[in-house]
Amino acid sequence: MPSIDIMMPYYGDVAMMQAAVRSILGQSDPDWHLTVVDDGEAAGVPQWFAALDDVRVDYQRNPVNLGVTGNFRKCVDLAKRDRMVMMGSDDLMLPDYVATIRRLEALSPGAGIVQPGVEIIDETGTVVPGGLVDRTKRRVYAPKGPGPHRMRGQELAVSLLRGNWLYFPSICWRTDAVAAVSFREDLEVIQDLDMIIKLVERGEELIAGDHVCFQYRRHTASESAKQAIDGRRFAEARAFFLETADHLDAVGWTEAATASRRHRSARLHALSLVPVAARERRPDSVRQLLRYAASPSKRLGS
């Protein structure tokens, strides 16, 4: 039986989802099983999966829309194998993704978080350098020097709270670790970092490799992009970072608490979006983004 569950919470573009599924079917290593949990109602999707007629693929459609976090939580509940991936339905695996994960896992069999190398693609599937966020991840926040890199504890928490350099849909997790914490129901955008910090606090190790085997898609139509421009993403982020800082202070991780309270990378991201909001003539968004970028130590509305 395969040891890796590839869970795909799906909602959105049908063609991109089909390309994502085909990229999984093309894996060189057969150690996987795919489950697609459809949170939409696009016509023809159930029929397309039925026509695949592949025992390695399970498909189900939710009777009611669960939303992003609700569908993430359902995927965690459905995952039963040793490891799991929560793959985006618009991303792509290169043919050696599973083989790469297995090599990394062999270097640290108990690691709760396995991050392979990632490249960025645009709406058309073209490999691109990525914008400011991706360049900063690579040049400033990601570990330096040749990998694989192994990190854990407060050192890892500080690194991720300074700037989250991981690519959530590409990560392979130890399933029991994720099931123990899952995703907070009250978070819509930053729920992945919340879960990761909880795992790090519980002692989980991260191993990060250099070999690129996953393509992460950046496109302006994403829900996170919309929420970033109108400021909703940063309202949620501020509350998370300040709450996390208080908690980390309480458990004695003071350096991590300071990094969380400052959340400089998120504030710089907000600042970088001000020209975009201005071009779109959204003065309320401009004010909210500037306010977030300027004041790390206060909650919005305080």
Side-chain angles (χ1 to χ4, degrees):
M1 176 182 290
S3 66
I4 298 176
D5 268 319
I6 302 174
M7 310 303 298
M8 184 180 291
Y10 164 57
Y11 184 94
D13 187 283
V14 174
M16 287 185 182
M17 176 275 293
Q18 292 172 342
V21 171
R22 292 189 188 100
S23 76
I24 299 167
L25 296 176
Q27 290 300 297
S28 62
D29 189 314
D31 187 29
W32 58 269
H33 183 274
L34 170 63
T35 300
V36 178
V37 185
D38 186 351
D39 206 34
E41 51 186 20
V45 172
Q47 292 78 10
W48 185 81
F49 278 98
L52 285 181
D53 193 26
D54 193 320
V55 296
R56 301 171 297 174
V57 180
D58 287 332
Y59 167 83
Q60 60 179 272
R61 174 169 281 181
N62 294 331
V64 296
N65 180 271
L66 300 178
V68 174
T69 304
N71 213 22
F72 281 6
R73 290 171 64 88
K74 182 172 181 178
C75 284
V76 172
D77 290 342
L78 291 172
K80 303 303 178 187
R81 291 167 173 83
D82 295 340
R83 291 193 169 269
M84 65 174 288
V85 180
M86 190 79 79
M87 182 177 174
S89 60
D90 56 356
D91 300 321
L92 298 173
M93 288 182 176
L94 297 179
D96 60 346
Y97 172 84
V98 171
T100 301
I101 290 296
R102 293 188 70 186
R103 286 195 296 270
L104 288 171
E105 182 190 3
L107 297 174
S108 183
I113 310 166
V114 181
Q115 171 67 77
V118 174
E119 63 187 4
I120 310 302
I121 57 175
D122 63 13
E123 289 94 333
T124 69
T126 302
V127 177
V128 295
L132 177 62
V133 170
D134 297 297
R135 294 195 302 273
T136 304
K137 280 189 178 192
R138 289 192 298 266
R139 298 174 185 175
V140 179
Y141 298 117
K144 304 301 184 290
H149 300 275
R150 296 174 65 173
M151 302 175 70
R152 69 188 315 153
Q154 182 168 201
E155 175 196 15
L156 177 54
V158 169
S159 177
L160 295 174
L161 290 165
R162 283 177 175 164
N164 183 8
W165 46 271
L166 303 178
Y167 286 91
F168 169 70
S170 70
I171 295 172
C172 186
W173 314 84
R174 209 178 68 246
T175 304
D176 66 333
V178 173
V181 298
S182 197
F183 296 90
R184 275 176 53 175
E185 293 181 85
D186 60 323
L187 298 179
E188 296 181 358
V189 176
I190 205 166
Q191 66 273 67
D192 56 335
L193 182 57
D194 172 78
M195 185 185 76
I196 292 166
I197 295 301
K198 285 185 171 68
L199 290 175
V200 175
E201 187 187 346
R202 291 168 64 94
E204 298 296 343
E205 181 181 59
L206 177 145
I207 182 164
D210 299 317
H211 178 68
V212 173
C213 60
F214 192 93
Q215 295 183 322
Y216 179 83
R217 195 182 302 270
R218 290 278 188 202
H219 52 89
T220 55
S222 70
E223 181 61 23
S224 60
K226 294 174 185 175
Q227 293 193 6
I229 295 298
D230 70 15
R232 284 180 290 158
R233 177 189 186 95
F234 297 109
E236 178 176 292
R238 180 185 299 278
F240 161 76
F241 283 118
L242 296 181
E243 175 187 307
T244 299
D246 290 344
H247 172 73
L248 293 174
D249 265 333
V251 300
W253 283 16
T254 55
E255 187 180 357
T258 298
S260 189
R261 193 165 284 113
R262 289 174 176 167
H263 52 278
R264 286 175 176 165
S265 64
R267 290 163 52 220
L268 288 171
H269 184 198
L271 188 62
S272 74
L273 293 172
V274 170
V276 180
R279 284 197 301 270
E280 294 183 3
R281 298 184 178 182
R282 301 169 70 170
D284 289 344
S285 294
V286 169
R287 285 191 293 271
Q288 190 168 19
L289 291 168
L290 286 172
R291 186 180 178 194
Y292 177 86
S295 56
S297 61
K298 297 180 181 178
R299 298 180 185 275
L300 289 178
S302 62

